[in-house]
Amino acid sequence: MSAQNTSYRADSPQAAVKGTHARRRVAFGSSIGATIETYDFIGFGTAAALYFNDAFFPSTDPLSGTLLSFATLGVGFAVRPIGGIIGGHIGDRIGRKPVLVGSLLVMGISTVLIGVLPTYQQVGAWAGILLVLVRVVQGLAFGAEWGGAILMTFEHAPWRKRGLYTGITQAGFPVGLLLANTAFLLSVPLGDQWAWRVPFLCSAVLIVVGIVIRLKIEESPEFEALKSEGEVARNPLLEVLRTDWRNVLRAFCLRIAETAGYALSVTFVLSYLASEELAGRSVTLLALMLAAGLGIAATTLCGALTDRIGRRPVYLFGSAITLAWGVPLFLLLNTGSATAVVFAFILSYTVCQNSLAGVQGAWFSELFNARTRTSGASLAYQLSAVVSGFTPLVATALFSLTGWLGPALLLSAYGLLGLIATALTPETWGRAERDRVAAIEQALAAVPDDVAARRSHLTSGV
């Protein structure tokens, strides 16, 4: 593990060992923001699968409407790397906190606007155009969100619990998924016109709560240390691409296994179940809610598990399950059994997706040094969104050509990519790193705090 990439900078060695006094508030504040943004962004995916093909596009050709709906979904993912670049630059140049507040505010405004957009029946083709424009703004905001939230949590957390704390922040995503689909389930009786509008309009309340919480979060101690020492990168994006492009590529491939796997096994499957009349909307939304509820605990626990056994073993497990799950997933769905559908969503989301997501916060952060950490982690994380954003579109096209087997094999291919990327990515929290940290902790415990504060060099190289 590179000393440059994993040095923990804080106000004192004791703070590095125990984390800052604000570590819990930062973790939960970042998690709440992630919850709100996921509610907004993932809610769009649910609406795209269940409603937007009729609301914003011509209903004369159902397949074309579905393709156009998923293409609009993909546009938001396509611009996320730009949002990640913007957020990464601000985070590495100005601070992590401005990214947290700004991304949430922009996301909130764009989401409420979706709830008041006119439909195809009202304004014709302009409906789809307006939807795409708002979706682009959503994608930019969501692209900036992740790096700021994860890095703030990571840099406030104690050495030995970085996986747990970043796992808490990552768990905000299944919470947001749960809330979004709860809203869509409760809105079903309102009819097709209001069933998708009300969930987007309700996000206005969540935005106000999230902004208030995030304004109270303290800036990252590592960024403050960099700024006070005059070591802030002048052009973090170019620097990380020049010095650390391999880790950007590795994290990009690791991320595809998780996010594109979700796009296929959840977002596409929602549309597949509806088009093939294998399950009603209420059954699929309920199944996704149950999976999301379990996913909250699964994401946090997987993050905590990496603190004990390392980042790589957990990622290997999740990738292997994804590889093996492709064909069995569709065989199970094709039975049309409500129980089978519920089980399929739980395994796809809680086991495959969450076991990978719980690892990424700590592992991706440790791959990059503090000067360029936001830019490097955000770029890798959001570049993969281009692949995942268009995965439902590709899966729909494959299904029209090959039936369910094409999407099934595509899911397995994502799992295989995850296995290969895991094997090629350095372990950043293996036994050697854990033993070294234990030795530093023992040395710090043997001296008074005032002496430990003068021995800050002990924290370098970890």
Side-chain angles (χ1 to χ4, degrees), residues 206-282:
L206 298 176
I207 297 302
V208 174
V209 175
I211 290 292
V212 171
I213 292 173
R214 285 196 166 183
L215 284 172
K216 296 180 179 180
I217 291 178
E218 300 176 15
E219 182 57 87
S220 158
E222 294 202 33
F223 179 79
E224 294 287 9
L226 285 171
K227 187 167 65 174
S228 66
E229 297 168 9
E231 295 184 10
V232 174
R234 297 186 63 180
N235 195 324
L237 177 62
L238 290 180
E239 184 173 325
V240 77
L241 290 177
R242 184 177 63 252
T243 63
D244 224 0
W245 63 268
R246 291 179 179 84
N247 280 331
V248 172
L249 181 60
R250 289 165 179 152
F252 166 75
C253 293
L254 289 170
R255 168 75 170 149
I256 286 177
E258 177 255 321
T259 187
Y262 170 88
L264 198 153
S265 63
V266 176
T267 304
F268 169 75
V269 162
L270 282 171
S271 176
Y272 174 75
L273 290 172
S275 65
E276 296 301 297
E277 299 182 350
L278 294 170
R281 288 176 178 174
S282 296

Side-chain angles (χ1 to χ4, degrees), residues 33 86 141 271 403 414:
I86 296 171
S271 176
Y414 288 145

Side-chain angles (χ1 to χ4, degrees), residues 131-454:
L131 182 66
V132 169
L133 291 176
V134 177
R135 180 61 174 170
V136 166
V137 176
Q138 253 200 340
L140 291 172
F142 198 79
E145 155 67 22
W146 183 85
I150 286 295
L151 268 296
M152 281 285 281
T153 303
F154 177 84
E155 292 173 351
H156 276 276
W159 275 331
R160 285 190 174 277
K161 296 183 179 180
R162 285 171 170 170
L164 169 62
Y165 277 80
T166 55
I168 291 172
T169 298
Q170 289 285 74
F173 294 96
V175 174
L177 179 65
L178 176 61
L179 290 177
N181 287 287
T182 299
F184 275 98
L185 180 63
L186 294 177
S187 68
V188 167
L190 299 177
D192 287 353
Q193 182 63 233
W194 286 100
W196 60 267
R197 290 188 186 276
V198 169
F200 290 114
L201 294 174
C202 286
S203 70
V205 178
L206 298 176
I207 297 302
V208 174
V209 175
I211 290 292
V212 171
I213 292 173
R214 285 196 166 183
L215 284 172
K216 296 180 179 180
I217 291 178
E218 300 176 15
E219 182 57 87
S220 158
E222 294 202 33
F223 179 79
E224 294 287 9
L226 285 171
K227 187 167 65 174
S228 66
E229 297 168 9
E231 295 184 10
V232 174
R234 297 186 63 180
N235 195 324
L237 177 62
L238 290 180
E239 184 173 325
V240 77
L241 290 177
R242 184 177 63 252
T243 63
D244 224 0
W245 63 268
R246 291 179 179 84
N247 280 331
V248 172
L249 181 60
R250 289 165 179 152
F252 166 75
C253 293
L254 289 170
R255 168 75 170 149
I256 286 177
E258 177 255 321
T259 187
Y262 170 88
L264 198 153
S265 63
V266 176
T267 304
F268 169 75
V269 162
L270 282 171
S271 176
Y272 174 75
L273 290 172
S275 65
E276 296 301 297
E277 299 182 350
L278 294 170
R281 288 176 178 174
S282 296
V283 172
T284 55
L285 288 174
L286 178 61
L288 190 52
M289 287 168 54
L290 290 173
L294 294 172
I296 298 168
T299 304
T300 305
L301 291 174
C302 285
L305 181 61
T306 68
D307 290 328
R308 298 180 62 87
I309 67 174
R311 319 301 185 202
R312 181 186 282 168
V314 181
Y315 222 90
L316 282 172
F317 168 79
S319 298
I321 294 295
T322 302
L323 171 61
W325 181 229
V327 171
L329 167 62
F330 283 88
L331 291 176
L332 202 60
L333 295 174
N334 290 341
T335 65
S337 164
T339 302
V341 170
V342 170
F343 177 78
F345 273 95
I346 289 175
L347 199 148
S348 292
Y349 188 67
T350 306
V351 179
C352 296
Q353 200 266 351
N354 294 137
S355 64
L356 303 180
V359 184
Q360 290 170 1
W363 203 6
F364 289 10
S365 298
E366 289 167 345
L367 289 173
F368 302 96
N369 63 56
R371 280 171 55 90
T372 58
R373 184 172 289 149
T374 311
S375 294
S378 295
L379 181 63
Y381 193 89
Q382 302 303 346
L383 275 176
S384 66
V386 178
V387 179
S388 61
F390 288 98
T391 287
L393 179 64
V394 174
T396 301
L398 284 174
F399 175 70
S400 68
L401 295 174
T402 67
W404 61 264
L405 185 60
L409 295 179
L410 182 60
L411 178 61
S412 294
Y414 288 145
L416 178 61
L417 178 62
L419 279 176
I420 295 171
T422 303
L424 297 176
T425 303
E427 172 63 84
T428 55
W429 190 243
R431 181 177 297 276
E433 289 78 20
R434 298 196 297 273
D435 289 346
R436 188 172 184 182
V437 166
I440 292 174
E441 290 176 341
Q442 186 175 10
L444 290 173
V447 295
D449 286 355
D450 60 335
V451 176
R454 295 194 297 271

Side-chain angles (χ1 to χ4, degrees), residues 44 51-59 68-69 72-73 113-136 193 196-197:
F44 191 102
Y51 299 105
F52 284 175
N53 58 329
D54 294 325
F56 289 95
F57 305 102
S59 58
L68 289 170
S69 180
T72 306
L73 174 69
L113 285 176
I114 291 175
V116 298
L117 287 178
T119 64
Y120 183 84
Q121 290 181 339
Q122 294 170 321
V123 296
W126 278 105
I129 294 172
L130 291 173
L131 182 66
V132 169
L133 291 176
V134 177
R135 180 61 174 170
V136 166
Q193 182 63 233
W196 60 267
R197 290 188 186 276

Side-chain angles (χ1 to χ4, degrees), residues 13-103:
Q14 297 295 348
V17 171
K18 300 177 181 179
T20 69
H21 69 280
R23 61 190 182 277
R24 293 186 180 89
R25 184 168 67 251
V26 171
F28 285 103
S30 296
S31 179
I32 289 172
T35 296
I36 296 168
E37 296 221 11
T38 303
Y39 175 95
D40 294 344
F41 201 80
I42 298 301
F44 191 102
T46 301
L50 300 180
Y51 299 105
F52 284 175
N53 58 329
D54 294 325
F56 289 95
F57 305 102
S59 58
T60 54
D61 184 354
L63 178 60
S64 296
T66 300
L67 288 171
L68 289 170
S69 180
F70 280 146
T72 306
L73 174 69
V75 167
F77 282 87
V79 300
R80 277 173 57 174
I82 300 175
I85 290 171
I86 296 171
H89 183 83
I90 295 173
D92 286 330
R93 287 284 297 162
I94 300 175
R96 321 306 197 204
K97 182 175 178 178
V99 179
L100 291 182
V101 177
S103 62

